[in-house]
Amino acid sequence: MKLAFAAVLLMCLVLSSSLFEVSMARSGYCSSMCAKRCARAGMKDRCLRFCGICCTKCKCVPSGTYGNKHECPCYRDMKNSKGKPKCP
C-alpha cells in the first residue's frame, strides 16, 4: 500500500514539473517580447505589467515599441474597464 502511494506521488511530481517547465517557457517568451515592446516606455514598469498580462492571454506581442497592433488582433482588441486599450 505504501509503495503504491509513493509511486503515485512520484508520478504526480514528475508530471507537475513538466507542466511547470512549459509555463516557464511561455513566461520567458512574454518577458523578452515585452522587454522589447516597452524599451522606450515612459512608465516602463507599468508597460511591462500590462504587456505581460496581454501576452499571457493572447500568446503574442506586436513587434516594435509602438503600433503594429494589427499583427495581434487579440492584443489590439483587449480593453480595460473604462473601454480604453489595455495593452501597450
Side-chain angles (χ1 to χ4, degrees):
M1 181 69 180
K2 288 182 182 181
L3 186 60
F5 178 73
V8 169
L9 185 61
L10 182 62
M11 199 148 113
C12 289
L13 285 171
V14 169
L15 289 173
S16 67
S17 70
S18 65
L19 292 174
F20 182 70
E21 282 181 35
V22 170
S23 69
M24 289 301 290
R26 171 88 51 217
S27 165
Y29 168 78
C30 287
S31 349
S32 66
M33 294 301 289
C34 288
K36 292 176 190 173
R37 182 80 178 167
C38 298
R40 291 199 249 161
M43 292 188 272
K44 195 170 189 169
D45 57 336
R46 187 174 176 184
C47 181
L48 288 169
R49 182 168 25 115
F50 286 110
C51 180
I53 291 168
C54 296
C55 178
T56 301
K57 287 185 180 181
C58 297
K59 298 173 182 51
C60 65
V61 176
S63 62
T65 56
Y66 185 79
N68 301 324
K69 289 188 177 182
H70 64 278
E71 296 174 355
C72 186
C74 170
Y75 191 97
R76 175 194 65 212
D77 298 337
M78 200 176 295
K79 306 286 183 204
N80 64 17
S81 60
K82 295 178 183 175
K84 295 187 177 188
K86 181 173 192 150
C87 308

